[in-house]
Amino acid sequence: MDPPRRSIEPRRSAWASARTVTEVEVTFLGTGAAVAPHAYNVAMVVDGTLLLDAGAPLSVHLPRAGLSVAEPRAVILTHFHADHTFGLASLILARVLLEEPPPPLSIVGPTGTRAYVRQLVEFAWGPEMLQAAIARKQVEVQEVTAGDQVQVDGCAVTAYPMTHTPRFSCLGYVIAKDGVRLGYSGDAEASPGPEALLHACAHAVSRTTYA
């Protein structure tokens, strides 16, 4: 079964019909919670190049969505639980093994992302593959905190604080591109952070496991 896709248009005002309306396409590669029996763990891709979380088996699901493993240019991580990150290890391996390596994969996430990605790749494939990824410049990491706004794959991305686990920082994001403001909470309990995120976006993908 092909992954579901949804095109999202900007909200239209009374005068919007006089101007060009753009849209972004969101493809859901996985929507399941940590131990979901009938769904893969969470990952989605915006316009074929920007991944939001990486829990699904990306080296399988990207081709099913008509995308090669070389096409994603960036990954935004909300937090470090396995159901949001473990697909990243296979994606990095697949990109390292390509005969013609693609441009570096930009990974954006909370404080601790740099160390976590190194540990994940080394644990999954060993220190040799980690060194190969570094040598072939396949990974670039940028750590952000709540309130930061950064440019990621042509999008303005703003981080919001989420409450999920005390073990590490958890973030949600508003991704602004071509007039569309898409919010993504990751796993989040009720708190001021998700409320602020929802007020800042026109469309949102929210994980409601803990609602």
Side-chain angles (χ1 to χ4, degrees), residues 82-174:
D83 57 323
H84 289 253
T85 60
F86 271 19
L88 191 57
S90 63
L91 178 63
I92 291 173
L93 175 67
R95 292 167 69 95
V96 169
L97 295 178
L98 290 173
E99 187 172 334
E100 294 293 331
L105 184 69
S106 177
I107 301 173
V108 177
T111 301
T113 296
R114 184 172 290 102
Y116 178 78
V117 170
R118 291 179 66 95
Q119 291 169 0
L120 178 65
V121 174
E122 185 169 12
F123 177 78
W125 311 118
E128 297 82 7
M129 192 54 63
L130 173 62
Q131 291 306 313
I134 294 171
R136 303 192 82 177
K137 298 181 179 179
Q138 281 305 291
V139 175
E140 295 178 347
V141 177
Q142 183 176 9
E143 297 182 355
V144 295
T145 58
D148 288 349
Q149 185 177 95
V150 295
Q151 292 293 316
V152 183
D153 189 33
C155 303
V157 177
T158 305
Y160 290 79
M162 298 291 121
T163 300
H164 177 48
T165 173
R167 291 183 54 231
F168 39 68
S169 175
C170 302
L171 297 173
Y173 302 92
V174 172

Side-chain angles (χ1 to χ4, degrees), residues 34-117:
V35 291
H38 304 298
Y40 289 96
N41 291 155
V42 65
M44 63 198 78
V45 60
V46 178
D47 284 346
T49 59
L50 175 60
L51 285 160
L52 304 181
D53 277 333
L58 298 174
S59 59
V60 176
H61 285 195
L62 284 168
R64 286 183 177 177
L67 302 167
S68 77
V69 296
E71 288 186 69
R73 294 195 289 264
V75 183
I76 297 176
L77 300 178
T78 57
H79 63 288
F80 306 140
H81 278 156
D83 57 323
H84 289 253
T85 60
F86 271 19
L88 191 57
S90 63
L91 178 63
I92 291 173
L93 175 67
R95 292 167 69 95
V96 169
L97 295 178
L98 290 173
E99 187 172 334
E100 294 293 331
L105 184 69
S106 177
I107 301 173
V108 177
T111 301
T113 296
R114 184 172 290 102
Y116 178 78
V117 170

Side-chain angles (χ1 to χ4, degrees), residues 185-203:
S185 69
D187 291 339
E189 301 173 21
S191 69
E195 183 175 349
L197 181 149
L198 291 173
H199 279 295
C201 65
H203 312 274

